[in-house]
C-alpha cells in the first residue's frame, strides 16, 4: 500500500513572530528562511522550509504537511480516502506555491487536525547554514522530525484506522504510564520511514493540539550547547535532560514562545520493519526528563561534605 513517506513541514499560528525567530534561530540553531507580511519560515536542512509560522492568536499547530513520493501515489492515497468517505480538497496552485510544493491536497483527521498531503517539497536556493550548530539536523529519509499530538478522547482504534489504515503508517509501540493517581498517559507511536516515530498521539491532560515537536541533531555536543543557550536565555523548560525507552532519544524539552514544547535530541532509534516487534511499555522516560522545579528543589537540598549546602 502506498502512503505517506515523511512529515515534510509543520505550520503554526503564533502570537509573537520576533520572539519565535530569536528562539528558533539563536537558541535552537535553525536558519531563517523567508519573511512575509504575516509570517516567516524556518529551515533545518536544504529544503525550502520545515517550519512555517503565521501570525495569529492560536499559538498552536494549525496544519501538518505530509509528503508522498509521487503524483500517482498521491492520486492513489486520495482515492483511498474518498472510498472511505473522507473529504479531500485540492489545495490549488496559489497554496502549492506558498508551500513550495508541486501539488497539495487538504484533508482533516478524526481528531480535527488539518493535514496537507503534498508532493515535491522544493529545495532552498542556498545550502543550510546555522551560526551556532557544530553539526546539523537529522532529516533526510526521516523527514523534518516527529510530533506528538493530543488525542482529546478520540479512541485509538479511530485514529489508527485513519493513519495506519488509510495513510499507511505503521505502529511502532505503545506506552501507558500512570503519572499520578488517576492520571494516565496513554500514547501510540507511528512511523512511515525508519525514524522511530513521525507522529504520536497521547491521551493525557494538555491544553493544545500539539504537545511537542522533536528536532534531532547529528552531534551530541549540540544537545548540550543548546541546553546551555536555553538556560542562559532563561527560556522555560518542560523537562531536563533524559532518555526515552522506546526511541532511545537523548534529549531535553524546552517551551516555545507559544507554550508547547520542542524536544531537542540526539541518537534516535531507527526501525527495520523486517525485524521490529511492537511492544507496550509502562514508562515514558528511561531516566531524567524531570520537571525543572523538581531538579531545582533537589539540587537546593543537596548537602556537601561537612554539612554545608
Amino acid at each position: 500500500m502506498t502512503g505517506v513517506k515523511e512529515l515534510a513541514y509543520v505550520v503554526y499560528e503564533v502570537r509573537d513572530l520576533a520572539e519565535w525567530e530569536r528562539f528558533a534561530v539563536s537558541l535552537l540553531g535553525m536558519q531563517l528562511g523567508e519573511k512575509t507580511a504575516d509570517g516567516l519560515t524556518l529551515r533545518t536542512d536544504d529544503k525550502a522550509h520545515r517550519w512555517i509560522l503565521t501570525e495569529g492568536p492560536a499559538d498552536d499547530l494549525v496544519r501538518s504537511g505530509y509528503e508522498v513520493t509521487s503524483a500517482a501515489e498521491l492520486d492513489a492515497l486520495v482515492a483511498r480516502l474518498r472510498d472511505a468517505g473522507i473529504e479531500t480538497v485540492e489545495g490549488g496552485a496559489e497554496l502549492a506555491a506558498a508551500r513550495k510544493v508541486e501539488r497539495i491536497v487538504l484533508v482533516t483527521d478524526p481528531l480535527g487536525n488539518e493535514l496537507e498531503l503534498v508532493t515535491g517539497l522544493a529545495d532552498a536556493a542556498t545550502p543550510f547554514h546555522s551560526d551556532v550548530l557544530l553539526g546539523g539536523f537529522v532529516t533526510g529519509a526521516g523527514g523534518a522530525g516527529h510530533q506528538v499530538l493530543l488525542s482529546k478522547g478520540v479512541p485509538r482504534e479511530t485514529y489508527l484506522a485513519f493513519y495506519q489504515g488509510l495513510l499507511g503508517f505503521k505502529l511502532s509501540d505503545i506506552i501507558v504510564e500512570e503519572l499520578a493517581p488517576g492520571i494516565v498517559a496513554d500514547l501510540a507511536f507511528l512511523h512511515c520511514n525508519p525514524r522511530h516515530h513521525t507522529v504520536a498521539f497521547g491521551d493525557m491532560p494538555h491544553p493544545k493540539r500539539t504537545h511537542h515537536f522533536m528536532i534531532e541533531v547529528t552531534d551530541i555536543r549540540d544537545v548540550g550547547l543548546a541546553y546551555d543557550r536555553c538556560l542562559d536565555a532563561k527560556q522555560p523548560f518542560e523537562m531536563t535532560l533524559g532518555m526515552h525507552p522506546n526511541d532511545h532519544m537523548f534529549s531535553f524539552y524546552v517551551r516555545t514562545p507559544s507554550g508547547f514544547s520542542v524536544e531537542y535530541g540526539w541518537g534516535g532509534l531507527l526501525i527495520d520493519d523486517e525485524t521490529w516487534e511492537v511492544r507496550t511499555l509502562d514508562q515514558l522516560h528511561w531516566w531524567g526528563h524531570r520537571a525543572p522545579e523538581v531538579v531545582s528543589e533537589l539540587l537546593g537540598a543537596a548537602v556537601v561534605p561537612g554539612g554545608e549546602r
Side-chain angles (χ1 to χ4, degrees), residues 88-99:
T88 64
V89 178
E90 289 287 338
E94 184 176 351
L95 181 58
R99 297 292 195 253

Side-chain angles (χ1 to χ4, degrees), residues 156 172-178 185-187 189 196 244-248 276-286:
R156 179 180 295 147
S172 302
D173 43 46
I174 292 167
I175 297 181
V176 181
E177 179 181 1
E178 186 173 21
D186 187 338
L187 293 96
F189 300 81
H196 175 274
H244 293 295
N246 60 340
D247 69 353
H248 299 186
W276 185 256
E277 295 182 4
V278 177
R279 299 179 298 160
T280 297
L281 308 175
D282 62 1
Q283 61 181 133
L284 290 166
H285 314 287
W286 241 339

Side-chain angles (χ1 to χ4, degrees), residues 5 108 116 227 255 275-277:
K5 72 165 187 172
T108 301
E116 300 180 354
Y227 189 79
R255 302 277 187 191
T275 58
W276 185 256
E277 295 182 4

Side-chain angles (χ1 to χ4, degrees), residues 91-110:
E94 184 176 351
L95 181 58
R99 297 292 195 253
K100 299 187 185 301
V101 298
E102 294 172 356
R103 184 179 165 203
I104 183 166
V105 175
L106 309 180
V107 65
T108 301
D109 77 5

Side-chain angles (χ1 to χ4, degrees), residues 3-304:
V4 167
K5 72 165 187 172
E6 68 175 60
L7 177 57
Y9 57 83
V10 281
V11 184
Y12 298 107
E13 184 180 287
V14 306
R15 292 177 185 269
D16 193 335
L17 287 168
E19 183 62 16
W20 259 96
E21 182 178 346
R22 179 198 68 86
F23 170 75
V25 176
S26 299
L27 300 186
L28 303 187
M30 296 182 181
Q31 181 181 355
L32 180 65
E34 296 179 349
K35 285 188 174 182
T36 63
D38 63 347
L40 60 86
T41 64
L42 297 164
R43 296 175 55 193
T44 57
D45 60 8
D46 287 343
K47 290 296 182 182
H49 50 238
R50 291 297 193 176
W51 290 37
I52 301 170
L53 308 182
T54 61
E55 191 170 22
D59 268 334
D60 206 347
L61 177 73
V62 291
R63 286 190 178 175
S64 301
Y66 290 102
E67 187 165 5
V68 300
T69 302
S70 66
E73 292 198 2
L74 182 54
D75 286 337
L77 180 52
V78 168
R80 191 158 63 244
L81 289 164
R82 289 176 177 170
D83 287 345
I86 295 171
E87 181 182 9
T88 64
V89 178
E90 289 287 338
E94 184 176 351
L95 181 58
R99 297 292 195 253
K100 299 187 185 301
V101 298
E102 294 172 356
R103 184 179 165 203
I104 183 166
V105 175
L106 309 180
V107 65
T108 301
D109 77 5
L111 297 86
N113 298 304
E114 296 184 11
L115 313 184
E116 300 180 354
L117 305 175
V118 304
T119 57
L121 177 60
D123 291 334
T126 59
F128 172 76
H129 172 76
S130 171
D131 289 333
V132 298
L133 292 184
L134 297 177
F137 291 104
V138 177
T139 56
H146 78 234
Q147 59 181 346
V148 174
L149 308 180
L150 280 299
S151 58
K152 303 292 186 182
V154 175
R156 179 180 295 147
E157 57 268 22
T158 299
Y159 64 73
L160 285 184
F162 179 84
Y163 279 90
Q164 192 174 9
L166 298 175
L167 298 191
F169 283 79
K170 297 178 181 178
L171 185 64
S172 302
D173 43 46
I174 292 167
I175 297 181
V176 181
E177 179 181 1
E178 186 173 21
L179 304 176
I183 300 177
V184 176
D186 187 338
L187 293 96
F189 300 81
L190 304 169
H191 66 278
C192 59
N193 54 54
R195 192 186 290 277
H196 175 274
H197 57 283
T198 285
V199 65
F201 297 96
D203 185 7
M204 53 189 176
H206 199 272
K208 297 185 181 290
R209 288 187 176 276
T210 182
H211 178 270
H212 73 265
F213 190 98
M214 188 285 305
I215 50 176
E216 184 177 0
V217 290
T218 62
D219 191 320
I220 192 173
R221 295 174 295 174
D222 277 321
V223 176
L225 290 168
Y227 189 79
D228 280 353
R229 288 194 298 271
C230 291
L231 281 174
D232 292 340
K234 298 180 175 59
Q235 191 72 26
F237 281 72
E238 181 183 4
M239 288 181 274
T240 57
L241 290 164
M243 184 175 283
H244 293 295
N246 60 340
D247 69 353
H248 299 186
M249 190 73 70
F250 169 64
S251 63
F252 66 90
Y253 288 70
V254 62
R255 302 277 187 191
T256 70
S258 294
F260 59 88
S261 294
V262 165
E263 181 184 6
Y264 202 95
W266 172 87
L269 187 69
L270 299 178
I271 283 181
D272 179 353
D273 282 320
E274 296 297 321
T275 58
W276 185 256
E277 295 182 4
V278 177
R279 299 179 298 160
T280 297
L281 308 175
D282 62 1
Q283 61 181 133
L284 290 166
H285 314 287
W286 241 339
W287 61 269
H289 285 158
R290 298 193 183 196
E293 56 270 21
V294 172
V295 174
S296 177
E297 182 179 348
L298 290 171
L299 290 175
V303 179
V304 298

